[in-house]
Amino acid sequence: MPHLELSTFVILGIVIIVAFHAGKNIRHLKLPSLIGYMVLGVILGPSLCNILSEGLQLRLSFITEIALSFVAVSIGLELKFSSLKKLGMGIIWIILMESFGAFLVVFGGLYLLTGDLPLSLIFGAIAPASAPAGTVAVIQEYRARGGLTKALYAVVGFDDGLGIIIFGFAASFARMILDREGGSDHVSLMSLLISPIKEIFFSILVGVVAGWLFSLMTRRLKNPTDVLMLLFGYVFLATGLCDMLHLSVILTNMVLGMLVVNTQQHALVQKIHDRLPLIMPLLFLLFFTLAGANLHLSNLPALGLLGAVYILTRTTGLMGGSYIGGILGGVEKKIRNYTGMGILSQAGVAIGLALIVKHEFTEVGVTIQTAAGEMTRGAHLGAVVITTVTATCIFFEIIGPILTKIALTKAGEIPTDAGDNN
């Protein structure tokens, strides 16, 4: 009898059915559904059963991009300037202090541990990057509403943009240090900063153009389903352009959503709000199951002291920075106390930045002897960063959504009937 290979659609069907029940059952433990999805992903992934193999994950990677794109649009649609104005300068202070707080505390902690300036700069630069999907999934699953919810939407939306800027500067300085160690003086700071500046500028530009075209084409549509179909088209278009031009999918689609909610009549925005929640649960299910499959348990032993210090300092920097920003900005007590708990998730963006380091630092620095053989300082730094960040993301992706739910509960922003939809 010939070997029967399961088709991708059969595997996807099984994943959706089993993940649905895993999400429902995990709710009995008072945990967000996405934890159930991720646990199932780990079981089905290369770490255990290998049903969601590396090759299959690569073929399904477009699902992750689609989900992230709509998470970003959802964030943008919540960032109405009139609402943000009510939060005042407080939200800006929180975003600045949690991002720079994470950078400085992680940088300081790892420099004290290793004495390696370039390595500490890179880890500090990756620390502010958050995983907005985890925070948004919890908010939407529990139908949270209130000041803290609005603050979380704003923070996870804007801190990735600020994180890219911080990473651009820090990575540039780290590379200059490594270059000089290797006897090269030809790299200018400005030439290294052009790439992140261009990425942010063109991400915003593509988001504005896509949002404007979408608004123009849908202004006269009366059926919410028609609006949703066109939204899919423009989000796919914007995401495709991001892939082609190496832009930020999150920033571009967040700007698209922001432009729509701040320039169009309430009726159009309401049509989107009426239909978008119908597709988000399925996207979250697929996204977090695939994210779980991508978490290799074999990386956990690589955590070591470096990973433990990174986890501790990043948590301290984000939570402490948010609290200090809340004090400086004069925000209400629940926003000041609980914003930091809601922004700890870290995954795709951080791993993406780590991959950039691994790719672009390969030929940088002097040649050194390591356990893996001879390699440049830059190549060794890249290997350490990608291994440690991937391992720590397992921790942050699990603990982050749990703490988000706790924060929203303590702030009184989860309706009492939100857990009754099992």
Side-chain angles (χ1 to χ4, degrees), residues 280-343:
M280 291 304 291
L282 177 59
L283 291 177
F284 283 134
L285 181 151
L286 290 169
F287 176 85
F288 286 106
T289 304
L290 290 171
N294 194 51
L295 299 178
H296 296 270
L297 297 182
S298 59
N299 286 324
L300 284 176
L303 268 175
L305 183 59
L306 186 69
V309 171
Y310 176 74
I311 288 173
L312 180 63
T313 51
R314 180 175 184 266
T315 303
T316 302
L318 286 176
M319 295 182 69
S322 296
Y323 185 81
I324 293 169
I327 292 175
L328 293 174
V331 300
E332 60 179 307
K333 186 178 179 181
K334 66 178 180 180
I335 296 176
R336 182 183 70 220
N337 289 348
Y338 300 125
T339 298
M341 291 176 65
I343 58 175

Side-chain angles (χ1 to χ4, degrees), residues 109-264:
L110 289 185
Y111 187 68
L112 287 174
L113 176 69
T114 66
D116 189 325
L117 185 57
L119 183 78
S120 305
L121 278 169
I122 293 298
F123 272 108
I126 290 173
S130 63
T135 302
V136 173
V138 173
I139 288 172
Q140 294 193 2
E141 178 176 354
Y142 291 97
R143 307 195 307 278
R145 283 287 176 268
L148 176 63
T149 302
K150 289 184 185 299
L152 288 177
Y153 271 122
V155 172
V156 298
F158 287 112
D159 71 355
D160 271 343
L162 182 55
I164 290 170
I165 295 172
I166 293 172
F167 177 81
F169 276 89
S172 299
F173 279 112
R175 182 163 182 153
M176 286 179 69
I177 293 167
L178 292 173
D179 269 326
R180 293 206 170 135
E181 286 179 358
S184 172
D185 295 315
H186 68 277
V187 182
S188 71
L189 177 62
M190 184 53 66
S191 66
L192 292 171
L193 292 176
I194 286 174
S195 181
I197 291 170
K198 280 170 61 179
E199 179 182 343
I200 291 169
F201 174 78
F202 285 108
S203 296
I204 293 172
L205 180 63
V206 171
V208 168
V209 173
W212 177 74
L213 288 173
F214 167 76
S215 301
L216 196 65
M217 295 295 110
T218 54
R219 203 168 287 167
R220 298 183 184 281
L221 293 179
K222 299 205 178 337
N223 189 328
T225 303
D226 293 342
V227 173
L228 183 65
M229 284 194 289
L230 268 183
L231 180 64
F232 259 84
Y234 281 98
V235 168
F236 278 28
L237 177 62
T239 302
L241 289 171
C242 288
D243 283 343
M244 290 169 58
L245 302 173
H246 305 292
L247 305 177
S248 169
V249 168
I250 292 174
L251 186 56
T252 297
N253 285 289
M254 185 185 78
V255 169
L256 189 160
M258 283 184 67
L259 187 133
V260 171
V261 78
N262 286 289
T263 63
Q264 301 308 302

Side-chain angles (χ1 to χ4, degrees), residues 380-407:
H380 180 250
L381 185 152
V384 171
V385 168
I386 190 65
T387 303
T388 307
V389 168
T390 304
T392 54
C393 280
I394 298 174
F395 172 83
F396 283 121
E397 276 295 83
I398 292 171
I399 200 68
I402 295 172
L403 290 178
T404 300
K405 192 217 166 185
I406 293 172

